[in-house]
């Protein structure tokens, strides 16, 4: 895909495929026979749909960063480098049936569940016609199966557990999914929710998105084990790991997890290893660069989830023209959404509307 000198991490600007990493990307998909079967069942259109999802996620964040640089916004929370951990799992679910509860860094879950990109951007502009009516940048729309997240990390775990319990009691065969950051694993709400989910055997999927840093605290400063691979067993629930920068691995792992849930064998915890290629938000990118050595950013920069998947697609027979067409369409979608969102700036909510929807009518 096109790289943007003003907005992409410097490690992505001159990105070139590394033969060793592309081989590892391919091998991780083939290593597990069940996951390999899921990936082999993808049609060319399915493969390109995953690519489009990654591009929309990256371009959505670039648009937010463009607004920050031009003064439209003061700051934004981005998922750069972590797109596969969002797009792969959501594409594995049933749109119109299942429910997702993203963290703010999983904003791509919204458009992959069918929510208009313009509505996602309107949330940042706090316009009256945004889905939160100007209240919050945490984006969601239950009409599209996206539960608007609570800003307190970890708190969506018990909420999603309750939704999944409802699905179980009603025998609906639906699945609820949420993401938990490595830092959020230390919250009481996350622990209580996961334990309750395990005991009640609800059809929920918890993606433990280990991006190696909790706001500005490196993993080793808040988590003594080197990883979270044994975390699911501590709750007595089924667990698996996936490469958080490999959209196919994320997709296949979640597909199998959803099948378990629909069979009544949930919940499932999936641990995805990835890395945040920027700050907690756009305002502290320099701090993020000071938190880790340059070598860490360079190492993860070679594992760009978009670039690695592009190489896999070429090996799978997708032509450069096909990839260019998908990128052109995704770019047009984001550009059009940005224009539509900016047109809403003349529709700001009046102050008195802050009380709307808070108290029940008598």
């Amino acid at each position: 895909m096109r790289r943007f000198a003003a907005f992409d991490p410097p490690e992505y600007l001159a990105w070139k495929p590394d033969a060793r990493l592309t081989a590892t990307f391919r091998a991780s998909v083939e290593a597990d026979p069940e996951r390999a079967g899921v990936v082999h069942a993808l049609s060319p259109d399915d493969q390109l749909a995953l690519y489009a999802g990654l591009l929309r996620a990256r371009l959505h964040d670039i648009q937010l960063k463009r607004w920050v640089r031009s003064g439209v916004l003061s700051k934004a929370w981005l998922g750069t480098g972590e797109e596969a951990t969002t797009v792969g799992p959501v594409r594995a679910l049933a749109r119109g049936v299942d429910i997702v509860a993203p963290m703010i860094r999983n904003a791509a879950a919204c458009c992959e569940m069918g929510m208009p990109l313009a509505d996602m951007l309107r949330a940042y502009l706090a316009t009256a016609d945004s889905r939160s009516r100007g209240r919050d940048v945490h984006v969601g729309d239950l009409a599209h199966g996206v539960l608007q997240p609570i800003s307190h990390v970890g708190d969506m775990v018990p909420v999603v557990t309750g939704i999944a319990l409802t699905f179980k009691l009603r025998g609906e065969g639906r699945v609820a999914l949420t993401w938990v950051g490595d830092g959020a694993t230390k919250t009481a709400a996350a622990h209580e929710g996961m334990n309750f989910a395990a005991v009640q055997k609800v059809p929920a999927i918890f993606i433990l998105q280990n991006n190696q840093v909790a706001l500005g605290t490196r993993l080793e400063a808040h988590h003594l084990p080197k990883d979270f691979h044994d975390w699911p067993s501590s709750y007595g629930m089924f667990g698996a790991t996936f490469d958080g920068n490999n959209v196919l691995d994320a997709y296949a792992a979640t597909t199998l997890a959803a099948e378990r849930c629909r069979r009544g064998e949930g919940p499932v915890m999936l641990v995805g290893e990835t890395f945040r290629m920027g700050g907690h938000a756009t305002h502290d990118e320099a701090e993020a660069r000071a938190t880790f050595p340059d070598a860490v950013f360079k190492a993860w920069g070679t594992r760009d989830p978009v670039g690695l998947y592009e190489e896999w697609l070429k090996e799978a027979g997708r032509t450069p023209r096909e990839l260019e067409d998908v990128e052109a369409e995704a770019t047009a979608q984001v550009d059009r959404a940005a224009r539509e969102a900016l047109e809403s700036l003349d529709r700001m909510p009046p102050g008195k509307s802050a009380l709307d929807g808070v108290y029940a009518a008598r």
Side-chain angles (χ1 to χ4, degrees):
M1 72 174 293
R2 177 188 174 190
R3 307 294 171 157
F4 297 82
F7 308 117
D8 273 314
E11 293 80 10
Y12 286 177
L13 296 181
W15 191 88
K16 300 292 183 184
D18 180 304
R20 178 182 59 84
L21 291 177
T22 54
T24 300
F25 185 98
R26 184 171 58 252
S28 67
V29 172
E30 301 292 339
D32 181 280
E34 282 192 297
R35 294 190 192 183
V38 171
V39 172
H40 292 163
L42 288 169
S43 68
D45 285 346
D46 294 332
Q47 296 170 1
L48 293 175
L50 283 168
Y51 182 52
L54 291 176
L55 294 177
R56 277 190 294 268
R58 180 70 56 84
L59 292 169
H60 165 269
D61 282 4
I62 286 174
Q63 180 59 54
L64 290 176
K65 208 167 187 179
R66 183 179 287 117
W67 280 352
V68 170
R69 295 286 177 83
S70 61
V72 176
L73 299 175
S74 61
K75 61 183 176 180
W77 289 260
L78 311 178
T80 308
E82 304 178 54
E83 296 91 349
T85 310
T86 300
V87 174
V90 176
R91 298 296 304 190
L93 300 179
R95 183 186 288 188
V97 175
D98 297 328
I99 296 288
V100 299
M103 297 186 293
I104 197 168
R105 218 172 297 285
N106 306 111
C110 299
C111 52
E112 296 313 297
M113 289 292 282
M115 186 174 171
L117 278 161
D119 282 347
M120 295 167 59
L121 295 172
R122 286 187 182 102
Y124 266 94
L125 299 177
T127 60
D129 55 349
S130 67
R131 297 311 301 164
S132 65
R133 300 190 296 279
R135 286 177 167 82
D136 201 348
V137 299
H138 293 83
V139 188
D141 184 356
L142 199 54
H144 288 95
V146 184
L147 191 63
Q148 188 172 347
I150 301 167
S151 61
H152 302 80
V153 294
D155 280 14
M156 295 311 295
V157 174
V159 176
V160 160
T161 295
I163 291 172
L165 179 60
T166 300
F167 294 163
K168 175 187 174 182
L169 295 175
R170 292 177 176 174
E172 293 180 339
R174 302 166 69 188
V175 174
L177 180 151
T178 193
W179 292 259
V180 184
D182 53 282
T185 61
K186 307 307 180 293
T187 64
H191 281 298
E192 293 165 6
M194 288 181 187
N195 185 68
F196 188 78
V199 171
Q200 296 296 325
K201 297 182 172 56
V202 303
I205 300 173
F206 304 109
I207 296 182
L208 204 164
Q209 184 171 337
N210 180 17
N211 66 5
Q212 317 302 317
V213 61
L215 204 153
T217 304
R218 289 166 53 159
L219 179 66
E220 62 267 26
H222 71 82
H223 189 74
L224 290 182
K226 66 177 182 178
D227 54 43
F228 291 91
H229 295 180
D230 61 350
W231 206 258
S233 62
S234 66
Y235 295 100
M237 71 172 74
F238 180 83
T241 62
F242 66 87
D243 179 351
N245 285 38
N246 185 327
V247 71
L248 292 171
D249 203 25
Y251 170 83
T254 310
T255 296
L256 296 172
E259 290 174 357
R260 287 184 64 94
C261 287
R262 296 190 210 284
R263 292 195 302 264
E265 300 171 13
V268 175
M269 186 187 299
L270 300 176
V271 180
E273 302 288 339
T274 184
F275 187 72
R276 193 185 74 195
M277 292 294 294
H280 175 67
T282 53
H283 69 280
D284 64 354
E285 292 184 356
E287 178 185 335
R289 291 280 168 172
T291 301
F292 291 95
D294 287 343
V296 174
F297 276 93
K298 288 177 181 177
W300 282 98
T302 63
R303 297 178 57 192
D304 172 21
V306 177
L308 288 173
Y309 187 51
E310 286 174 341
E311 295 307 304
W312 184 91
L313 286 170
K314 293 172 187 175
E315 293 179 1
R318 307 287 70 75
T319 66
R321 177 59 183 272
E322 286 180 299
L323 302 189
E324 290 168 5
D325 287 347
V326 173
E327 182 175 357
E329 175 58 23
T331 301
Q333 288 174 353
V334 174
D335 288 347
R336 184 168 56 249
R339 290 194 301 271
E340 292 174 2
L342 288 172
E343 290 171 358
S344 293
L345 282 174
D346 61 355
R347 295 187 289 276
M348 302 305 290
K352 64 180 182 180
S353 69
L355 295 178
D356 294 346
V358 177
Y359 301 103
R362 286 187 173 182

